[in-house]
Amino acid sequence: MLRDQRQQARQLKGRLDQLVYVADSRLALPRIGSTAFNRPSGTLWSWRPQLWRGPITPKGIAAASSKTPLGDEVHLFHDCAVSELTMRQIRNTREEDLAPFGLRMDVFGFDGSFLSLVLDFPKDAVDGMQRRHLIRLSTIIETEKEIEVFGRLNIKHGPNTEQVIVEIPVNLPESVVEFDLAYTELNDKRIEKIWLDLIFEGPQMNQITMRDLTFCRYPRAEL
C-alpha cells in the first residue's frame, strides 16, 4: 500500500513539475497587450501599433498581394507581378523583448521596384501636435542580409502633405530615429492624418524580423 502511494506521489510530482515549468515559461513572456517601453522625459503621446501588441487574424499570409492588411493599422504595399513574400506574426520569447509580438517577412524572388509597410496612426496622434515637436521611432529590425530601411513620416494638413524621411539602422539592439517637424511647413492647426511608410530597399532573398516598433511625441529642446 505504501509503495503504491509513493509511486502515485511521484507521478503527481512529475505532473506538478511540468505544470510549474510551463507556467513559468509563459509568465516570462511579454504580456499580451503590453504598452510598456521606454519613453523620453516630457513625452506627450506614445503608441505601440496593434500588430506588435496583440494577436491578429490571420497570423500568416503566403504570396502576399499589395494592399494586404496586417491587423487594423498596417498594410503591405509592393508592385511585384508575382508575389514571393510571406508574412507572419510571431510571439517574442527573448528575455530582452518588451513587445509581445513581432513581424517576420520572408522575401524570396522580388521583381518589383518597391516594398513598404504603411502604418496608419490612431486619431489621437494629432491631438496637440505642433511644429516644435519631435516624433521618435524606436524599432528592432533583424535581417539575414544587410539592407537599407527608410522611414517616411507623412502628415496631411489641409490640402498639403508634409514628408520627413530618415534612414533606420538595422541589426542593432534598438534603433532610435527622430522626425523633426520644425523643418517642415506644417500648419499645426489643420492636421488631419498621420501615417508612416517603412521602405525596404533591395529586399530579395532575405528574412526581415521586426521585433518591436513604438512611437513617442515630445517637444524639441528650446534653443
Side-chain angles (χ1 to χ4, degrees), residues 20-178:
V20 171
Y21 173 81
V22 172
D24 285 346
S25 64
R26 291 182 178 177
L27 290 171
L29 298 177
R31 180 175 56 84
I32 292 177
S34 173
T35 58
F37 59 92
N38 294 325
R39 295 165 171 82
S41 176
T43 292
L44 302 170
W45 169 88
S46 59
W47 175 55
R48 172 181 281 135
Q50 174 198 34
L51 192 152
W52 289 269
R53 196 174 65 240
I56 62 171
T57 302
K59 292 183 178 180
I61 303 167
S65 59
S66 188
K67 301 182 182 180
T68 294
L70 302 162
D72 298 330
E73 300 163 339
V74 182
H75 289 76
L76 171 73
F77 284 86
H78 63 79
D79 61 349
C80 295
V82 178
S83 174
E84 295 186 39
L85 293 86
T86 65
M87 312 184 69
R88 64 185 183 277
Q89 187 185 47
I90 61 172
R91 186 73 160 101
N92 283 330
T93 58
R94 306 178 310 169
E95 183 178 351
E96 62 269 32
D97 287 324
L98 294 178
F101 295 92
L103 172 66
R104 178 163 291 158
M105 297 191 296
D106 288 289
V107 186
F108 302 100
F110 189 80
D111 62 5
S113 62
F114 71 90
L115 172 65
S116 66
L117 291 175
V118 177
L119 290 83
D120 292 319
F121 280 45
K123 292 182 179 179
D124 65 356
V126 307
D127 294 344
M129 179 177 286
Q130 300 177 18
R131 278 187 61 190
R132 67 186 188 93
H133 288 171
L134 300 170
I135 295 180
R136 186 184 83 157
L137 164 62
S138 177
T139 187
I140 303 171
I141 302 177
E142 304 166 353
T143 63
E144 284 186 331
K145 298 187 300 183
E146 289 291 332
I147 61 170
E148 292 183 318
V149 180
F150 296 91
R152 182 173 63 204
L153 185 71
N154 308 272
I155 306 177
K156 178 175 172 53
H157 57 114
N160 303 313
T161 299
E162 296 298 319
Q163 295 184 331
V164 185
I165 301 176
V166 299
E167 184 172 1
I168 302 172
V170 300
N171 294 318
L172 296 177
E174 182 182 27
S175 295
V176 177
V177 296
E178 291 180 332

